[in-house]
Amino acid sequence: MRRILVATWLVLMSVAACAQNQVATVTSSSPFSLRGATVTPGQGVPTWPILAGDTVKAGNALTIVPFPDGSVLTLSPGSEAKIDFVNGKPVFQLLHGCAHYSLQSISAVQLMSADQTLTPKDRKGSWAAGSGGCGGGGGGGFWTTGHTAA
């Protein structure tokens, strides 16, 4: 009887752990931080899941965060963001640094800079949080996988 209770408890705990929703994925060509742990890409796992409440800090390269609807946010090197899911909508909160966005619709992902909600005027652009700017301004220098050549 005790073994059955322990087994039932383990099953319930694993179901509860899996119940947390994946909000997006993350990938980069250089090590980055996810949930405070360093992730080294290129070891058989091309993308890593982002769960509600996770933080991502870019390393020395662009760190790409695609969302299920096709929207893509890109962190510049050294930038940090928190990704959440609030009221049925993904939230991308830039904590510091620079981020670029390419949204499927203006309201696809809620964009925030620190504690301030941003309202994009276009589906593509960039913004900075903390000191400094994005260096390239606007969306003209925005990079997506569709703009690369093999």
Side-chain angles (χ1 to χ4, degrees):
M1 179 68 173
R2 185 176 190 135
R3 285 185 185 184
I4 293 172
L5 288 175
V6 170
T8 303
W9 181 81
L10 288 173
V11 168
L12 289 174
M13 293 308 293
S14 64
V15 168
C18 292
Q20 193 170 13
N21 289 336
Q22 178 177 322
V23 179
T25 58
V26 60
T27 190
S28 183
S29 62
S30 76
F32 60 92
S33 173
L34 175 62
R35 294 179 214 114
T38 300
V39 175
T40 303
Q43 297 183 4
V45 181
T47 62
W48 294 79
I50 296 176
L51 305 178
D54 281 352
T55 57
V56 175
K57 184 173 182 182
N60 295 326
L62 293 173
T63 300
I64 303 159
V65 179
F67 289 83
D69 76 339
S71 297
V72 178
L73 281 101
T74 305
L75 286 168
S76 294
S79 300
E80 185 174 14
K82 179 180 177 184
I83 294 86
D84 217 334
F85 197 74
V86 179
N87 296 326
K89 184 176 184 176
V91 177
F92 187 94
Q93 181 182 19
L94 184 61
L95 302 174
H96 72 267
C98 181
H100 305 277
Y101 59 89
S102 177
L103 305 174
Q104 289 300 311
S105 70
I106 289 181
S107 62
V109 178
Q110 180 181 340
L111 306 178
M112 296 183 70
S113 182
D115 291 332
Q116 182 178 357
T117 299
L118 304 175
T119 304
K121 293 180 178 28
D122 195 2
R123 291 186 312 117
K124 293 184 179 185
S126 60
W127 83 101
S131 60
C134 284
F142 182 68
W143 176 91
T144 65
T145 55
H147 291 111
T148 61

